[in-house]
Amino acid sequence: SNLGYDGVELNIQDPFHVNATNLMRIIEKYNLSVAAISTGLSYLTYGYSLSSPNEELRGNAIKFFKKYIELSVELNSRKVVIGLARGKCNQDVDCDKAKELLRESLEMLNDYARQYNVILVFEPLNRYETKLVNRLNEAVELIRDLSNVRILLDTFHALLEERNVYDAIEYVGPYLGHVHVADSNRLAPGLGMIDWERVVYRLLKVGYRGYLSVEARTEPSFKDMLAISAKTLKPLLL
Ligand code: LER
Ligand code: MN
């Protein structure tokens, strides 16, 4: 908060083991809000994925996401990220089948999110992290008829997968629910090749008024990364 941030995105491994009241007290003490809850650690730690062919793992992923949705209300965020927890596909797990299962899970969670007035934000990830939904148009196809699922655009992933990150913002504008920012090398915005003035211009053009959630490598240090990101982005937002 000293560096000028308004919020924090929380990466929560297990939503059943969080003291929301305590957490909220700490966050408010620093005058911050919860920008979103990210969920990838649940997949990395327990293997729970929304597209898993293993019913038990998929069922646990759904249980976790229902709890993430409830937690996002308690933390006054109402935004839950679906990134790595969508799962993966490869030679063993057929991509079309995985996509079908993912879609089923999304429909179920969409209904649950609607009851709680929460938005799920689905994040296309680059091909080196998963083969299951890399591009924005694929993601839009998947979620366009779901009332409570929107797209999370991560500038780093978009740079690797889209023809042009600036046009991509404009394309996804009508579905945009959240934004992760990192530069072309995943360092802090300002330390790579992305033109941040153009990014912000397009975001404003499509009417995006949400958070720019910094998700960059903590180099040269966590604090420096945050300071550099703020120095690059804040002047563009005033
Ligand atoms: C999550 O938001 C993300 O961008 C992934 O690259 C994490 O592995
Ligand atoms: Mn991201």
Side-chain angles (χ1 to χ4, degrees):
S1 60
N2 283 343
L3 294 168
Y5 286 82
D6 307 304
V8 60
E9 183 167 324
L10 302 173
N11 200 344
I12 293 178
Q13 180 177 318
D14 180 346
F16 289 97
H17 286 93
V18 174
N19 185 329
T21 317
N22 269 352
L23 195 50
M24 210 54 220
R25 197 175 309 133
I26 296 165
I27 289 163
E28 279 173 352
K29 188 172 124 192
Y30 292 101
N31 263 324
L32 295 169
S33 304
V34 179
I37 294 178
S38 25
T39 57
L41 279 177
S42 67
Y43 174 68
L44 294 172
T45 313
Y46 311 108
Y48 299 162
S49 114
L50 294 171
S51 66
S52 177
N54 177 316
E55 230 166 279
E56 194 186 332
L57 293 176
R58 200 168 71 252
N60 283 337
I62 301 271
K63 266 187 220 151
F64 260 42
F65 268 90
K66 287 184 172 172
K67 191 67 181 172
Y68 280 127
I69 288 169
E70 293 169 24
L71 189 60
S72 80
V73 175
E74 290 178 80
L75 296 175
N76 207 13
S77 164
R78 293 179 189 271
K79 210 154 266 186
V80 176
V81 175
I82 303 175
L84 275 176
R86 81 198 348 89
K88 297 189 180 185
C89 59
N90 46 46
Q91 296 103 314
D92 307 325
V93 184
D94 180 72
C95 286
D96 288 339
K97 180 70 189 155
K99 212 168 180 179
E100 248 172 62
L101 293 170
L102 171 61
R103 169 69 197 196
E104 249 174 53
S105 300
L106 288 177
E107 283 171 17
M108 223 180 288
L109 293 174
N110 182 60
D111 288 342
Y112 203 75
R114 189 168 43 217
Q115 286 170 42
Y116 284 86
N117 198 19
V118 166
I119 297 293
L120 300 163
V121 283
F122 187 92
E123 179 180 27
L125 297 174
N126 77 70
R127 68 192 73 176
Y128 306 109
E129 297 197 24
T130 180
K131 304 258 178 291
L132 190 57
V133 193
N134 302 128
R135 297 225 170 121
L136 290 161
N137 64 339
E138 241 185 303
V140 166
E141 204 54 56
L142 189 66
I143 63 95
R144 71 177 346 140
D145 61 341
L146 299 174
S147 59
N148 286 58
V149 188
R150 287 285 165 274
I151 303 285
L152 192 181
L153 180 138
D154 181 315
T155 53
F156 173 73
H157 296 297
L159 194 84
L160 286 170
E161 292 296 336
E162 308 297 327
R163 285 191 191 172
N164 165 330
V165 64
Y166 317 106
D167 290 345
I169 292 170
E170 203 153 328
Y171 162 75
V172 85
Y175 307 96
L176 195 57
H178 193 50
V179 175
H180 282 166
V181 288
D183 221 313
S184 49
N185 39 23
R186 210 152 198 180
L187 294 173
L191 296 183
M193 297 192 306
I194 293 182
D195 182 340
W196 292 97
E197 205 172 320
R198 287 177 78 189
V199 167
V200 171
Y201 175 78
R202 297 290 184 115
L203 286 169
L204 294 175
K205 191 172 173 201
V206 300
Y208 181 74
R209 293 289 180 275
Y211 285 95
L212 300 184
S213 196
V214 177
E215 189 185 41
R217 295 174 63 97
T218 53
E219 295 172 27
S221 70
F222 181 55
K223 200 173 168 190
D224 287 330
M225 179 277 279
L226 289 175
I228 294 163
S229 304
K231 192 167 165 246
T232 302
L233 296 170
K234 286 276 278 192
L236 302 173
L237 301 172
L238 299 174

